[in-house]
Amino acid sequence: MSTEVAQNTLSSLLEAVQPPNGGRNIHDPATGELVARAPEHGTEELDAAVAAARAAQAAWAARSHGERSEFLNRAADAIEASAEALAELLSREQGKPLNGPNARFEVGACASWLRATAALDLQPEVLVDDATSHAELHYRPLGVIGAIGPWNWPMMISVWQLAPSLRMGNTVVMKPSEYTPLSVLALAAVINTELPDGVLTVVSGGREVGERLAAHPGIDKVMFTGSTATGKAIIRSSADTVKRLTLELGGNDAGIVLEDADPRAIAEDLFWGAFINTGQTCAALKRLYVPESIYDEVCDALVEVARLMPMGNGLDENNVLGPLQNKAQFDIVARLVDEARAAGARVLIGGNPVDDQPGYFYPTTLVADIANDNSLVVEEQFGPALPIIRYSTLDDAIAMANGLDVGLGASVWSSDPAQARQVAARIQAGSVWINKHGAIDPRVPFGGTKQSGYGLEFGVDGLKALGAPQVIS
């Protein structure tokens, strides 16, 4: 195989993924302009993709971990060669700007995640080794993985799903969000220049394709990132075939600022913890609890940071915040902020979208003096609006942080790491960060508690979740 890697342009990527006839129009959420047409696959195409994946799986599983890792590394090379075209397509379809922790960042993360997954070391575990017995725990490929992804980080989350699946010897059938199919189709087209046929297939379709994928007898496991409501539907659909599941569902992450924190020192990290991807991130900071003693200082510091962050068309190199990806999400954010204002909360900045501009732009919004039972706090806003809740005692803050039925991530902000760790241990969330929020790492397991889902991704534990445990005694 040649060591040269082809470099795609945006036009060549679109040519590779657009159907020759028909398809569904995909529009830029920043301008409303047509980006391209996406194929409208149905259940017949899904059945064919599953059959091809099953046919390719045995030969793929027969390769060693080292061989499969080499394929992942070559796929990372291919992504890097076409990085700018992929980032431009992502920006136009999803809306996120090229710069900041956005489109270029996401494409770069795809390549980095493939390499990190390829480098993980998974060895058989010796369970017993004495004079009478020897037992080892191995992890064998499951078979065919069905991956259902979201629209907020369509490329990166696809790699989170496909990289460990392929590394473990499984083949993959992916179903992207109807809002962002082009990004995933293009990413897979680039990756597939380095993979054997049938190992990775994308089926671009609607709800009926997702429902069929979750129930499909040829799928051995489903990985899903998205809403809790859809996750529950997948659980029901998968029951008859007793599929394994990894579900990363909705979060409404809390952050607790302690009294010893320096408001200005933490303000920018707080901002990006909440507003990365314009707030459209499952593990973003969505509720901020601040003690009375420094409440006004934290609010003022956040307003100062927010004023400096330009929002606009993602292809403008100056912007770091973009539009909401779709009208439905725009309406949710607008409703929640309006309800907070009507209930007497104080809007520090933002809260008034411009009616006559194109695109689903909602301004960066900070809301203070808000009750903990307000809908902007209780419901996941998934957009650029952060409620800042005042608390009197630390016990009150922890109780409020733990008071919802979700628990994906959380954070504690303090100048005293030891105290912060003590507080972190009391928070009901799958990941708790100290003086940062949402800082995921491909080496570190990630997963939710309560109704934020179950199962682990990332790291060696994420590899194990894509294998069938087998004990050999």
Side-chain angles (χ1 to χ4, degrees):
M1 181 177 293
S2 172
T3 58
E4 295 184 5
V5 180
Q7 182 175 357
N8 288 286
T9 63
L10 178 59
S11 60
S12 65
L13 286 177
L14 291 177
E15 184 178 350
V17 302
Q18 283 195 109
N21 298 296
R24 183 163 48 87
N25 290 339
I26 302 296
H27 296 274
D28 186 332
T31 65
E33 296 173 354
L34 178 68
V35 178
R37 290 173 290 107
E40 289 266 39
H41 296 144
T43 55
E44 289 186 6
E45 287 88 350
L46 174 64
D47 290 344
V50 173
R54 179 129 332 253
Q57 195 271 326
W60 181 248
R63 297 178 183 272
S64 68
H65 276 291
E67 290 174 317
R68 294 193 295 265
S69 291
E70 182 55 33
F71 276 101
L72 297 188
N73 283 320
R74 290 207 299 266
D77 293 340
I79 290 172
E80 288 173 343
S82 298
E84 191 62 17
L86 288 168
E88 185 177 346
L89 174 58
L90 177 62
S91 180
R92 293 188 64 198
E93 180 180 49
Q94 201 280 337
K96 63 184 65 183
L98 291 170
N99 289 325
N102 294 298
R104 288 179 177 133
F105 166 84
E106 180 168 348
V107 173
C110 290
S112 298
W113 216 274
L114 283 163
R115 297 192 200 285
T117 304
L120 293 171
D121 185 27
L122 177 61
Q123 297 293 332
E125 299 174 32
V126 177
L127 306 175
V128 178
D129 187 17
D130 58 26
T132 61
S133 182
H134 181 88
E136 293 180 348
L137 177 60
H138 297 254
Y139 288 86
R140 310 302 187 194
L142 290 167
V144 180
I145 307 301
I148 304 174
W151 49 259
N152 58 335
W153 295 91
M155 290 184 180
M156 187 164 69
I157 291 178
S158 292
V159 169
W160 291 358
Q161 296 170 332
L162 71 87
S165 299
L166 297 179
R167 166 67 194 280
M168 290 300 291
N170 305 292
T171 52
V172 180
V173 177
M174 305 199 74
K175 190 269 178 196
S177 166
E178 299 97 307
Y179 288 113
T180 53
L182 298 172
S183 297
V184 179
L185 286 162
L187 178 71
V190 171
I191 292 174
N192 274 333
T193 61
E194 299 296 335
L195 294 180
D197 291 344
V199 169
L200 172 64
T201 307
V202 178
V203 181
S204 171
R207 177 176 294 181
E208 72 282 357
V209 173
E211 292 173 350
R212 172 64 174 161
L213 183 64
H216 203 293
I219 295 290
D220 298 288
K221 174 168 182 165
V222 172
M223 300 184 75
F224 171 72
T225 297
S227 71
T228 298
T230 303
K232 291 176 179 179
I234 288 172
I235 293 170
R236 290 189 289 268
S237 297
S238 69
D240 286 345
T241 50
V242 197
K243 283 182 177 42
R244 291 164 174 79
L245 300 174
T246 293
L247 304 175
E248 195 258 89
L249 307 180
N252 195 347
D253 288 13
I256 300 178
V257 178
L258 304 188
E259 287 189 326
D260 62 5
D262 180 340
R264 293 191 178 278
I266 65 174
E268 187 164 347
D269 288 332
L270 278 173
F271 178 88
W272 282 118
F275 292 98
I276 186 172
N277 199 28
T278 315
Q280 300 165 109
T281 298
C282 293
L285 172 58
K286 300 189 177 82
R287 303 175 283 148
L288 182 62
Y289 295 93
V290 181
E292 292 175 336
S293 59
I294 58 171
Y295 185 84
D296 291 337
E297 292 177 74
V298 170
C299 289
D300 291 344
L302 278 170
V303 169
E304 288 181 19
V305 173
R307 285 197 175 115
L308 299 175
M309 299 298 178
M311 175 184 287
N313 190 318
L315 298 181
D316 183 333
E317 298 276 356
N318 295 311
N319 292 324
V320 294
L321 298 169
L324 289 160
Q325 202 286 322
N326 55 78
K327 179 64 161 55
Q329 198 58 44
F330 178 95
D331 289 344
I332 290 171
V333 176
R335 172 181 62 82
L336 292 173
V337 174
D338 289 347
E339 289 176 0
R341 184 190 284 114
R346 181 164 52 103
V347 177
L348 302 176
I349 189 172
N352 293 300
V354 179
D355 292 333
D356 60 353
Q357 72 174 1
Y360 305 127
F361 288 98
Y362 196 91
T364 307
T365 302
L366 296 166
V367 180
D369 298 332
I370 185 169
N372 190 56
D373 61 357
N374 187 276
S375 56
L376 180 59
V377 180
V378 175
E379 297 182 36
E380 184 182 22
Q381 70 276 45
F382 216 70
L386 178 66
I388 309 170
I389 305 101
R390 191 189 307 261
Y391 73 83
S392 299
T393 70
L394 182 56
D395 286 343
D396 288 342
I398 294 171
M400 288 188 288
N402 290 339
L404 300 182
D405 60 359
V406 290
L408 188 58
S411 55
V412 181
W413 303 78
S414 172
S415 298
D416 183 349
Q419 184 186 16
R421 284 193 293 271
Q422 291 176 358
V423 174
R426 298 174 61 188
I427 297 177
Q428 298 165 2
S431 296
V432 183
W433 296 279
I434 294 174
N435 293 330
K436 54 188 176 182
H437 196 107
I440 55 173
D441 186 313
R443 302 164 298 178
V444 178
F446 177 73
T449 62
K450 299 192 274 190
Q451 292 197 34
S452 288
Y454 49 74
L456 288 174
E457 299 177 271
F458 314 162
V460 173
D461 289 285
L463 291 182
K464 292 177 179 178
L466 273 304
Q470 181 187 54
V471 174
I472 298 179
S473 295

